[in-house]
Amino acid sequence: MSTTELTSQLSSYAGRLLRERFGKGPESIHASIGKQCIALHIRNFIGPVERFLLNKEEEQAFRYTRELLMKSLLPELSAYLKDTMAIEVGELFYDWGIHNASGIIVALIKNDDVAVDDYAGRDEVHAQINEVSRKVQKEPVHTDSWWLGPRTLIIKREGILIPLEKELIGLGYENTLKTTKRKMEKRYLEDTTTIAPMLGKELADIYVDWDFDKDTSVIAYTFL
């Protein structure tokens, strides 16, 4: 099966899965499959109840509801990738752009033989990401990044949680911590970095998520 057929099949399956869980599917899903990860870019995805919550400035409730539904959805997506497409994934990350009802799901592929993507500007991208990480929490123990097609840059960080954050997670404040960190990191990424112009791109969106158990994070830059 060609890559085009695989991505079309994956987009259709993900659309059905989202409709089953949320009662409404997205306008479109664009799937990208690379050696390091798979990304599902979701556009115009919001239901009437969620829109009501956001109109009432209840972002925390909106994110909490999606968090619950996504936690039930992701294992099915992971199983589908393994059983139907023979792709075994590890961590899965996701985030939503509330301003335009967009979102992304990133699944990291278990693969120990992937070469470094030594693209132009890589060192500067890592320097700027590490600087933002230092301001918000601490510098990552390890940073990696790669292009997933011409419009999506994926950045993975490892070892960024500080002791206070670990204590908050242990006390059950994971959702509150994620919401707060997203707001802070996106603000810093948008206001203090020059990654898009440095790469010669026009920024569309920035998505950020964490796997607190493994102390890893993924940032997805999407470009026009």
Side-chain angles (χ1 to χ4, degrees):
M1 191 178 292
S2 69
T3 301
T4 301
E5 290 172 323
L6 285 173
T7 54
S8 177
Q9 181 178 327
L10 179 56
S11 296
S12 296
Y13 174 78
R16 289 197 304 271
L17 204 55
L18 289 170
R19 278 193 297 274
E20 289 172 4
R21 286 294 188 279
F22 290 87
K24 180 185 183 300
E27 180 181 288
S28 67
I29 298 179
H30 176 73
S32 301
I33 301 175
K35 293 182 179 179
Q36 298 99 324
C37 72
I38 291 169
L40 295 165
H41 194 193
I42 302 161
R43 293 182 177 88
N44 195 16
F45 179 52
I46 188 168
V49 174
E50 292 179 321
R51 194 177 299 280
F52 172 79
L53 288 173
L54 293 178
N55 287 340
K56 295 295 183 181
E57 299 184 354
E58 293 287 349
E59 181 181 340
Q60 183 72 12
F62 165 85
R63 289 196 177 275
Y64 179 69
T65 301
R66 285 215 167 174
E67 195 84 17
L68 289 175
L69 292 169
M70 290 298 293
K71 282 182 177 179
S72 70
L73 178 152
L74 292 179
E76 289 191 39
L77 178 61
S78 181
Y80 176 84
L81 289 168
K82 182 178 181 180
D83 298 339
T84 306
M85 305 182 72
I87 300 173
E88 190 168 1
V89 299
E91 300 112 302
L92 289 102
F93 300 86
Y94 55 90
D95 188 20
W96 309 104
I98 291 175
H99 63 290
N100 61 1
S102 68
I104 200 166
I105 299 172
V106 177
L108 300 184
I109 297 173
K110 291 183 178 179
N111 188 346
D112 297 327
D113 301 320
V114 176
V116 171
D117 185 358
D118 194 18
Y119 59 89
R122 183 175 187 268
D123 290 344
E124 179 60 25
V125 167
H126 289 192
Q128 293 196 32
I129 292 297
N130 289 345
E131 178 61 23
V132 168
S133 296
R134 272 195 297 272
K135 290 176 180 177
V136 177
Q137 56 255 308
K138 70 183 184 71
E139 183 170 344
V141 173
H142 179 68
T143 304
D144 193 11
S145 64
W146 57 88
W147 283 98
L148 187 62
R151 295 184 178 181
T152 305
L153 179 67
I154 304 294
I155 302 160
K156 181 185 178 184
R157 298 173 294 171
E158 300 175 10
I160 55 174
L161 290 175
I162 62 175
L164 175 60
E165 292 173 326
K166 293 178 181 178
E167 287 295 323
L168 288 170
I169 293 164
L171 291 171
Y173 292 102
E174 178 178 336
N175 290 330
T176 302
L177 181 62
K178 270 195 178 185
T179 300
T180 305
K181 284 168 69 71
R182 275 196 178 102
K183 283 181 175 293
M184 287 187 65
E185 285 215 344
K186 285 184 179 181
R187 186 168 67 247
Y188 275 95
L189 289 168
E190 290 170 357
D191 296 346
T192 69
T193 67
T194 58
I195 288 174
M198 187 265 296
L199 294 171
K201 302 283 186 178
E202 185 177 351
L203 182 65
D205 278 302
I206 302 174
Y207 303 97
V208 190
D209 193 22
W210 295 261
D211 183 328
F212 287 148
D213 291 336
K214 296 185 178 180
D215 196 358
T216 58
S217 171
V218 157
I219 302 170
Y221 273 79
T222 59
F223 303 99
L224 299 174

